[in-house]
Amino acid sequence: MRVLKILQPVMNVTKPDAGFYLWPHLGKSDTEFTRNLFASENVTVLPGQYLSRDSHGLNPGSQHIRMALVASVAETIEAAQRMKHFIETHS
């Protein structure tokens, strides 16, 4: 998967067993990351905490993002390149 080759050097992301979503762990605020990624690179991803509920005071989706690979291959690759640029310049 070309997107993984672009992103794996800069983020903790692996190929899913099935589906068209990636679920990388950020190690930092998912909401802040998504907000800043959109502002800087015009790429939209979903904060992981929006997809799960708090359980025993913890949100299992926190510090993750959901990346939907639903655009064309060319658009998905471009988005991955923008994300890589964002991570490299904002780490």
Side-chain angles (χ1 to χ4, degrees), residues 49-62:
Q49 67 179 296
Y50 290 9
L51 299 168
S52 57
R53 295 184 214 184
D54 287 354
S55 176
H56 305 288
L58 298 173
N59 185 312
S62 181

Side-chain angles (χ1 to χ4, degrees), residues 13-80:
V13 61
T14 58
K15 182 179 179 186
D17 292 333
F20 51 90
Y21 297 105
L22 297 179
W23 184 253
H25 182 260
L26 302 173
K28 58 184 164 187
S29 171
D30 51 328
T31 54
E32 183 178 334
F33 179 89
T34 58
R35 191 177 313 120
N36 292 337
L37 175 64
F38 181 76
S40 178
E41 300 292 335
N42 200 31
V43 174
T44 302
V45 296
L46 189 63
Q49 67 179 296
Y50 290 9
L51 299 168
S52 57
R53 295 184 214 184
D54 287 354
S55 176
H56 305 288
L58 298 173
N59 185 312
S62 181
Q63 296 190 358
H64 290 80
I65 55 171
R66 185 178 80 167
M67 300 165 51
L69 305 175
V70 295
S72 71
V73 172
E75 290 172 314
T76 304
I77 290 170
E78 181 182 345

Side-chain angles (χ1 to χ4, degrees), residues 10 21 39 60 66 68 86 90:
V10 295
Y21 297 105
R66 185 178 80 167
F86 172 78
H90 292 86

